[in-house]
């Protein structure tokens, strides 16, 4: 029997929009902290806050987007998010003190939360249910490419141009994303009677999809560990004098994900979540351990590849779990719930971990994060892994 079609025009468009907004996010993620230090003489912790408050804003945007998206439409929310995203990118040029920068980062994050929740929900609607793990995996590659190209361009532009050029570059990409959205076709929302009644009042279930919460909690701890890599790689590379190698760290990371993601997606669909998630979390822990002990450029790049195989494949698998467990009429809430916990990790992580750096150093911080990943493995077993195993065993014996 022929497979249901995955590679459609709308799939390419929504993946492209996700790529550009995510690229801007990661490009600024690795440069804005040093900008705050150099421009406004911010401390390490304050620089971490400038990085993290963007993600706090994205959390706020997702929190309300999950409730609004099934009421007002996915495409409308996408346009609102992209307009606000582009406008707030312009405001970096006028942020002439640390507080204005923080406010603009917050607004920029809210816009990202709205736009990315819309794209995540749209793609969940587009992907055939029989190819969900594979489709989410391929869609996730747009973000993975952005995690490589964004930091690479960010670190390169930081070394060879000015921060003003960085902001102009981000603005052009934002405008292009907005223009691209006009060519996207989205079906009308599917809304059940129960879902409509939920939107009439303020309930916990109006903002959070309960079925997606357990895997999202696990993702929070895994994301907390990765936020330490993302936020402090520039500082760590300067400390160990490996800036040239560090500029390729995220490129190697993305290459590892590009190689492994298609296989991981298919294994997820065929063998189930546990078959993928346990190994990739262990691999992530090994990569973080190696990162804490880096002595030369090759070791740093090897750590990037291992982390790519680990963290890069965990996120798509975890998102597929969240969607798989959720009724079709609540996919918007499931998507927002998942990324709310991701945003919490990326928002709290840089500030919280920045407080530890003066006492542990960056090497000690990464060693500590190995323990955080191990905690995530334990949580996964109790929150989802045990249930997943029991389900598979039942199917085999039925």
């Amino acid at each position: 029997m022929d497979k249901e079609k995955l590679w459609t025009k709308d799939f390419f468009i929504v993946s492209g929009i996700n790529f550009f907004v995510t690229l801007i996010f990661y490009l600024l993620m690795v440069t804005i902290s040093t900008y705050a230090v150099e421009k406004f003489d911010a401390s390490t912790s304050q620089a971490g806050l400038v990085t993290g408050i963007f993600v706090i804003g994205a959390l706020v945007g997702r929190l309300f987007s999950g409730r609004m998206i099934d009421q007002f439409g996915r495409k409308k929310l996408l346009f609102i998010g992209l307009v606000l995203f582009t406008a707030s990118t312009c405001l970096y040029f006028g942020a002439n003190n640390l507080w204005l920068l923080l406010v603009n980062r917050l607004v920029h994050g809210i816009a990202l939360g709205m736009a990315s929740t819309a794209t995540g929900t749209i793609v969940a609607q587009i992907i055939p249910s029989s190819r969900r793990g594979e489709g989410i995996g391929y869609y996730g590659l747009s973000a993975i490419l952005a995690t490589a190209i964004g930091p690479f361009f960010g670190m390169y532009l930081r070394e060879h141009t000015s921060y003003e050029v960085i902001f102009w570059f981000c603005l052009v990409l934002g405008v292009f994303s907005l223009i691209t959205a006009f060519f996207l076709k989205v079906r009308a929302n599917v809304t059940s009677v129960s879902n409509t009644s939920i939107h009439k009042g303020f309930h916990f279930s109006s903002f959070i999809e309960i079925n997606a919460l357990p895997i999202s909690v696990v993702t929070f701890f895994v994301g907390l560990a990765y936020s330490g890599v993302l936020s402090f790689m520039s500082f760590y590379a300067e400390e160990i004098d490996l800036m040239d190698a560090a500029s390729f760290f995220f490129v190697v990371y993305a290459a590892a994900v590009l190689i492994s993601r298609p296989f991981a997606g298919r294994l997820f669909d065929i063998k189930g979540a546990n078959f993928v998630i346990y190994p990739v979390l262990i691999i992530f822990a090994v990569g973080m351990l190696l990162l804490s002990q880096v002595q030369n450029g090759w070791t740093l790049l090897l750590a990037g590849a291992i982390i790519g195989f680990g963290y890069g494949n965990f996120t798509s698998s975890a998102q597929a779990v969240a969607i798989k467990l959720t009724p079709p009429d609540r996919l918007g809430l499931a998507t927002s719930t998942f990324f709310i916990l991701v945003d919490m990790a990326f928002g709290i992580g840089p500030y919280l971990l920045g407080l530890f750096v003066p006492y542990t150093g960056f090497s000690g911080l990464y060693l500590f994060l190995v323990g955080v990943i191990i905690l995530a493995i334990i949580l996964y077993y109790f929150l989802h892994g045990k249930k997943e195993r029991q389900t598979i065993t039942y199917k085999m014996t039925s």
Side-chain angles (χ1 to χ4, degrees), residues 139-311:
Y139 168 74
L141 287 178
S142 63
I144 293 300
L145 285 171
T147 65
I149 297 172
F152 175 78
F153 271 120
M155 297 179 78
Y156 180 85
L157 292 173
R158 178 195 160 202
E159 289 293 314
H160 297 92
T161 62
S162 65
Y163 288 106
E164 187 176 61
V165 171
I166 291 174
F167 297 146
W168 274 111
F169 182 71
C170 292
L171 180 59
V172 170
L173 295 182
V175 171
F176 185 80
S177 299
L178 180 59
I179 293 172
T180 305
F182 283 97
F183 299 94
L184 182 64
K185 293 183 179 178
V186 182
R187 293 199 315 267
N189 292 2
V190 179
T191 306
S192 68
V193 175
S194 61
N195 199 36
T196 302
S197 64
I198 284 171
H199 284 303
K200 290 181 179 179
F202 283 85
H203 309 277
F204 183 75
S205 58
S206 300
F207 299 94
I208 298 295
E209 171 53 46
I210 302 299
N211 292 313
L213 191 57
I215 190 64
S216 301
V217 170
V218 177
T219 304
F220 168 81
F221 286 97
V222 179
L224 189 70
Y226 186 66
S227 74
V229 178
L230 195 61
S231 301
F232 300 115
M233 177 55 67
S234 293
F235 294 111
Y236 185 42
E238 286 182 354
E239 180 180 87
I240 59 179
D241 195 25
L242 291 175
M243 280 297 295
D244 289 339
S247 64
F248 289 95
F249 178 91
F250 295 100
V251 175
V252 174
Y253 167 93
V257 181
L258 285 170
I259 292 169
S260 59
R261 179 65 67 81
F263 301 103
R266 289 298 298 151
L267 286 173
F268 180 96
D269 288 332
I270 296 169
K271 297 287 189 178
N274 287 355
F275 194 83
V276 176
I277 289 181
Y278 282 124
V280 298
L281 285 178
I282 293 170
I283 291 169
F284 183 25
V286 172
M288 191 69 77
L289 178 63
L290 182 61
L291 183 62
S292 72
Q293 306 300 315
V294 163
Q295 299 292 329
N296 55 60
W298 288 109
T299 308
L300 180 67
L301 296 180
L302 178 60
I306 296 173
I307 290 172
F309 282 120
Y311 179 77

Side-chain angles (χ1 to χ4, degrees), residues 6 8 10 47 67 75 79 106 108 128-129 143 183 192 203 215 239 252 260 262 287 333 340 348 353 358 380 384:
L6 175 63
T8 63
D10 291 329
R67 177 183 170 90
K75 189 170 182 179
F79 272 113
L106 181 67
H108 203 186
S129 59
F183 299 94
S192 68
H203 309 277
I215 190 64
E239 180 180 87
V252 174
S260 59
L333 281 174
I340 281 168
I348 296 170
L353 299 178
Y380 174 77
H384 180 78

Side-chain angles (χ1 to χ4, degrees), residues 20-101:
F20 288 117
V21 298
T22 306
L23 188 150
I24 294 170
F25 164 55
Y26 281 104
L27 189 156
L28 292 175
M29 193 84 168
V30 299
T31 57
I32 203 70
S33 57
T34 54
Y35 173 71
V37 171
E38 294 176 15
K39 182 77 173 180
F40 304 116
D41 197 29
S43 66
T44 303
S45 182
Q46 288 174 327
L49 181 60
V50 170
T51 301
I53 199 169
F54 181 98
V55 190
I56 297 297
L59 187 156
V60 174
R62 294 189 201 279
L63 187 63
F64 289 95
S65 295
R67 177 183 170 90
M68 295 165 55
I69 194 168
D70 292 320
Q71 284 184 294
F72 302 109
R74 297 153 171 81
K75 189 170 182 179
K76 183 180 293 186
L77 184 70
L78 177 60
F79 272 113
I80 294 171
L82 288 176
V83 168
L84 185 60
F85 188 83
T86 304
S88 54
T89 304
C90 292
L91 296 179
Y92 282 106
F93 297 101
N96 55 13
N97 61 61
L98 186 61
W99 290 109
L100 283 177
L101 180 63

Side-chain angles (χ1 to χ4, degrees), residues 383-396:
L383 294 179
H384 180 78
K386 183 165 61 171
K387 185 197 307 182
E388 177 89 8
R389 183 173 59 83
Q390 290 171 345
T391 302
I392 293 173
T393 301
Y394 173 77
K395 288 180 179 178
M396 292 176 63

